[in-house]
Amino acid sequence: MNTTPLAGAKSPFPGRLILEGQVDQVMKILVINCGSSSLKYQLFDMDNESVLAKGLVERIGIEGSQIKHTKTGMDAVVNQTPIPDHKVAIKLVLDALTDKQHGVLSSLSELSAVGHRVVHGGEDFASSVKLDAKVMEAVKRCVPLAPLHNPANIMGIEAVTAALPNIPQVGVFDTAFHQTMPPHAFIYGVPYGYYEKYKVRRYGFHGTSHFFVSRRAAEMLGQPIEKLKIVTCHLGNGSSITAVDGGKSIDTSMGFTPLAGVLMGTRSGDVDPALLPFIANMEKLSVAELDSLLNKKSGLLGVSGISSDLRDIESAAGKGDKRAKLAEDILNYDVKKYIGAYAAAMGGIDALVFTAGVGENSASTRAAVCEGLEFLGIKIDAQKNDMRGKEMEISAAGSKVHVLVIPTNEELMIARDTKRLAF
Ligand code: AMP
């Protein structure tokens, strides 16, 4: 926002005084995604939504911790140093951003706001929100719903508050976009009292990504989102499919946790629930061991016995490995079934979107998923599909359904919401 305002003009961002003759600073927003032992960050210049710097803090609280910082256009710099907790991690991030050589800020006062990815907002948050003490209480109440994720998100927010007590902060929830699902899509067929007592229900995740790509799809098609029925396939290490009807999520494949839905890198996706007591009984597994089995040792890894990474699976399958091929086939079949289910749930489908690591990069996954869906009006152009990581329409001429590849950008979405809500 490089404006030279008139004397006494007010900043478009309340709380930011522009003095006579002074050039307003650009709005710079830091986006933070905290895991239990990691912290990813990106600093945006919201004038043109460009990334000024980004980085990753790894192994927080574990031996061998480090921060890798990249100023846009420069080589990454790595600093290996003890990082006992998220407070120290945040301090290192802020130091890196203001570093004379590798930094992009002359001082921390240039930072306008901080946006955080928060995994679980329960039923309390149907949209992003400016963080304050009351909101933080609600985020903390969601900890039992996401015991591995929300505590890390909270640590990140508290570390920023400690370092920059007056900076506005915004929380963007993975679950928020799916709060529009109707009860028949989110209530499980278990005694209703568990929903009332423990809030046991489908929540869905990757909401920021499904929201982002569905809006982008409408923009690409030049049609109002309210008029479109879109199935968005976020296929990455974790994967979820969402039915977006008129811009609203009406169903999604992940559930109470991110374990449900299609086969993933190490997660099983949907299984017969009776499998759990059976395997536990046969293998003498505890509940925790069972949880770990389904989350960390299943999916592409569990079926193939080779890897959780689809690139390794594709390569092994190409060399004739039968279980790798089977793992690939299960994933493609699962995704295809969800597309059919969601077309039925919405009474039609206008656009199909592929996004995230697998969806953006694997032409063979996209081709296999779409094969046989011609009866739904889905037909892709093999030549157009033969590409990686580009935003483009890959449907064949005459395909009733627009098939789109749209690189997701959850960080930008968080930055946009932060800009909208922080002031
Ligand atoms: P994400 O979780 O969105 O970062 O996606 C990560 C996953 O994308 C990896 O585990 C890979 O399986 C997959 N992936 C990335 N690049 C490719 C590629 N060129 N071909 C196939 N799969 C890919």
Side-chain angles (χ1 to χ4, degrees):
M1 163 91 26
N2 281 310
T3 53
T4 310
L6 299 170
K10 276 180 77 185
S11 164
F13 312 116
R16 197 153 176 230
L17 186 67
I18 303 171
L19 300 172
E20 191 174 351
Q22 188 185 4
V23 174
D24 189 12
Q25 294 173 346
V26 292
M27 184 185 259
K28 288 171 186 160
I29 287 178
L30 178 62
V31 171
I32 288 180
N33 180 354
C34 257
S36 54
S37 66
S38 70
L39 186 161
K40 286 188 228 159
Y41 62 94
Q42 287 195 17
L43 181 70
F44 284 88
D45 169 351
M46 292 310 285
D47 250 13
N48 52 13
E49 298 190 333
S50 63
V51 175
L52 300 170
K54 63 179 171 184
L56 171 65
V57 186
E58 285 176 292
R59 301 181 67 83
I60 300 170
I62 308 170
E63 209 171 313
S65 48
Q66 63 171 36
I67 173 169
K68 182 177 171 188
H69 174 81
T70 312
K71 178 176 172 176
T72 300
M74 307 261 286
D75 288 339
V77 280
V78 176
N79 176 10
Q80 286 174 332
T81 178
I83 308 176
D85 54 35
H86 287 72
K87 262 194 184 176
V88 175
I90 289 288
K91 181 170 181 323
L92 285 167
V93 171
L94 299 178
D95 286 350
L97 292 172
T98 50
D99 184 80
K100 286 229 157 27
Q101 206 181 342
H102 307 287
V104 283
L105 300 173
S106 50
S107 90
L108 287 176
S109 64
E110 278 184 44
L111 208 53
S112 311
V114 180
H116 295 265
R117 174 189 182 214
V118 182
V119 167
H120 219 305
E123 291 189 328
D124 291 312
F125 300 105
S127 57
S128 305
V129 63
K130 186 170 177 182
L131 298 172
D132 60 22
K134 212 165 151 226
V135 169
M136 288 309 291
E137 272 176 36
V139 173
K140 286 177 184 167
R141 277 200 304 273
C142 294
V143 166
L145 297 173
L148 298 178
H149 293 98
N150 272 32
N153 304 149
I154 292 164
M155 279 193 280
I157 295 164
E158 290 180 344
V160 171
T161 309
L164 303 164
N166 296 318
I167 197 135
Q169 298 185 72
V170 169
V172 178
F173 303 90
D174 268 24
T175 49
F177 179 51
H178 302 300
Q179 278 297 300
T180 45
M181 284 188 290
H184 62 254
F186 74 69
I187 293 288
Y188 289 124
V190 296
Y192 192 78
Y194 295 130
Y195 168 60
E196 294 174 315
K197 252 205 286 193
Y198 307 122
K199 296 282 172 213
V200 164
R201 50 160 287 175
R202 180 188 306 278
Y203 288 99
F205 298 87
H206 294 141
T208 312
S209 176
H210 291 291
F211 179 89
F212 179 84
V213 298
S214 58
R215 266 58 194 171
R216 188 72 200 117
E219 276 171 22
M220 284 171 76
L221 299 176
Q223 292 183 43
I225 184 89
E226 294 76 19
K227 294 231 156 78
L228 291 169
K229 297 177 189 299
I230 309 176
V231 175
T232 49
C233 304
H234 178 112
L235 308 178
N237 193 32
S239 299
S240 64
I241 322 287
T242 296
V244 185
D245 194 353
K248 291 185 177 152
S249 167
I250 61 130
D251 203 353
T252 191
S253 61
M254 283 181 167
F256 179 65
T257 73
L259 180 58
V262 299
L263 187 89
M264 305 178 218
T266 60
R267 287 174 238 164
S268 62
D270 296 336
V271 294
D272 179 345
L275 214 60
L276 278 60
F278 179 83
I279 294 175
N281 199 20
M282 297 305 271
E283 295 278 316
K284 308 275 173 282
L285 297 182
S286 66
V287 171
E289 286 167 331
L290 202 55
D291 193 55
S292 164
L293 177 86
L294 292 168
N295 274 292
K296 299 192 177 140
K297 296 177 197 147
S298 299
L300 292 175
L301 174 67
V303 174
S304 70
I306 292 174
S307 170
S308 62
D309 191 306
L310 189 69
R311 283 165 292 198
D312 301 333
I313 301 294
E314 284 179 353
S315 152
K319 289 181 192 134
D321 188 285
K322 289 207 167 66
R323 270 171 48 193
K325 174 76 172 73
L326 176 61
E328 229 183 349
D329 288 347
I330 297 172
L331 169 64
N332 298 337
Y333 182 63
D334 279 356
V335 176
K336 190 195 298 264
K337 281 203 294 188
Y338 268 103
I339 294 168
Y342 288 165
M346 292 190 289
I349 170 171
D350 301 306
L352 174 64
V353 179
F354 289 100
T355 193
V358 172
E360 292 164 26
N361 294 303
S362 175
S364 63
T365 300
R366 294 190 298 255
V369 166
C370 292
E371 194 188 311
L373 292 182
E374 292 80 7
F375 79 100
L376 272 181
I378 294 171
K379 192 159 184 266
I380 61 170
D381 180 317
Q383 241 177 336
K384 286 186 187 156
N385 184 42
D386 189 18
M387 62 87 191
R388 290 209 280 127
K390 265 193 264 171
E391 182 182 276
M392 67 181 275
E393 178 157 0
I394 57 165
S395 29
S399 174
K400 192 174 85 47
V401 176
H402 297 277
V403 185
L404 307 165
V405 177
I406 303 179
T408 193
N409 196 339
E410 288 155 291
E411 291 78 12
L412 175 59
M413 201 60 242
I414 294 171
R416 283 180 183 166
D417 271 5
T418 304
K419 178 180 171 180
R420 189 167 56 83
L421 296 166
F423 305 99

